[in-house]
Amino acid sequence: MSPPQGSLKELRDLALRCHDCPLWKHATQTVFGKGPAHAPMMLVGEQPGLQEDASGEPFVGPAGALLDRALHEAGLDRANVYITNAVKHFKYELRGKRRLHKRANAAEQAICREWLAAELREVRPQRVLALGAMAAQAFFGTTFQITMSHGRWLRLSGGIDAMATWHPSSVLRSINRDTHDHRYQQLVDDLRAFMAGPEHVHAVSVVGRRAG
């Protein structure tokens, strides 16, 4: 199966009706990307959370607020970047009446990767920043580790330069204040490097491949 065709607006409309995996059945709505149609920089998160599911927009709530603060410190304006997620529907498990985040499985991620590939094709960013392990592994393979390789430039097919860094929710979930502050500073430093652009890159391409 190849990535869906159409402009960003057409892709967004198509994604609202996507039933290619079971995640749509329980999610409130599809959370598609947002930002300038041909932004030079793209930020890719992992999957929507509870507040994203309610609003239909990526990176709102506490993780979005932390990302906005980090972007401001790095000198990046959120309005100038295209922001999306590797998975477009909220997956959760019920604990009483609470809906708690649950990681999308490999098959679900692979199906949603076609939407991400279509977004890349239409936006045509010069640089991509993967936020978190799920997004990073969509681009760089399942052996990629944020702890070892965050802030390292890699080149995707089509000449797109890419790197990965911590997801804001990972910073928020840090086990103590020292870890939180350390990861947050790494996030800000990686955002600064992302804005400045690459010096040395290594070729890699994973996005768009299907599982199985």
Side-chain angles (χ1 to χ4, degrees), residues 128-185:
V128 169
L129 180 65
L131 298 163
M134 180 187 294
Q137 290 172 7
F139 287 107
F140 312 131
T142 57
T143 61
F144 186 92
Q145 297 182 26
I146 296 287
T147 52
M148 301 294 293
S149 299
H150 72 89
R152 179 189 180 199
W153 283 106
L154 297 165
R155 180 157 292 157
L156 305 176
S157 60
I160 301 173
D161 295 318
M163 70 159 61
T165 190
W166 298 102
H167 194 285
S169 64
S170 177
V171 178
L172 291 172
R173 292 194 305 267
S174 300
I175 59 174
N176 55 50
R177 173 53 59 179
D178 287 344
T179 302
H180 174 280
D181 292 348
H182 182 62
R183 286 188 176 181
Y184 178 75
Q185 189 57 54

Side-chain angles (χ1 to χ4, degrees), residues 197-209:
E199 294 182 1
H200 304 287
V201 295
H202 302 270
V204 63
S205 180
V206 175
V207 169
R209 296 180 186 174

Side-chain angles (χ1 to χ4, degrees), residues 64-83:
L66 188 141
L67 176 62
D68 286 341
R69 179 158 62 94
L71 286 168
H72 178 74
E73 287 192 36
L76 273 168
D77 187 341
R78 178 170 174 152
N80 295 329
V81 299
Y82 185 89
I83 301 181

Side-chain angles (χ1 to χ4, degrees), residues 28-115:
T28 301
Q29 59 192 314
T30 304
V31 181
F32 204 72
K34 183 177 181 179
H38 299 299
M41 292 177 283
M42 178 185 283
L43 272 57
V44 181
E46 297 185 324
Q47 61 188 74
L50 181 64
Q51 295 188 48
E52 286 81 7
D53 179 63
S55 70
E57 296 189 1
F59 282 98
V60 298
L66 188 141
L67 176 62
D68 286 341
R69 179 158 62 94
L71 286 168
H72 178 74
E73 287 192 36
L76 273 168
D77 187 341
R78 178 170 174 152
N80 295 329
V81 299
Y82 185 89
I83 301 181
T84 191
N85 282 306
V87 172
K88 310 303 187 193
H89 285 113
F90 177 40
K91 183 175 183 177
Y92 62 89
E93 58 184 3
L94 285 173
R95 296 280 181 86
K97 294 184 178 180
R98 297 178 63 199
R99 296 189 297 166
L100 300 181
H101 169 92
K102 186 176 182 180
R103 183 182 176 89
N105 64 37
E108 292 159 348
Q109 291 181 46
I111 290 169
C112 249
R113 208 167 291 152
E114 302 295 350
W115 292 106

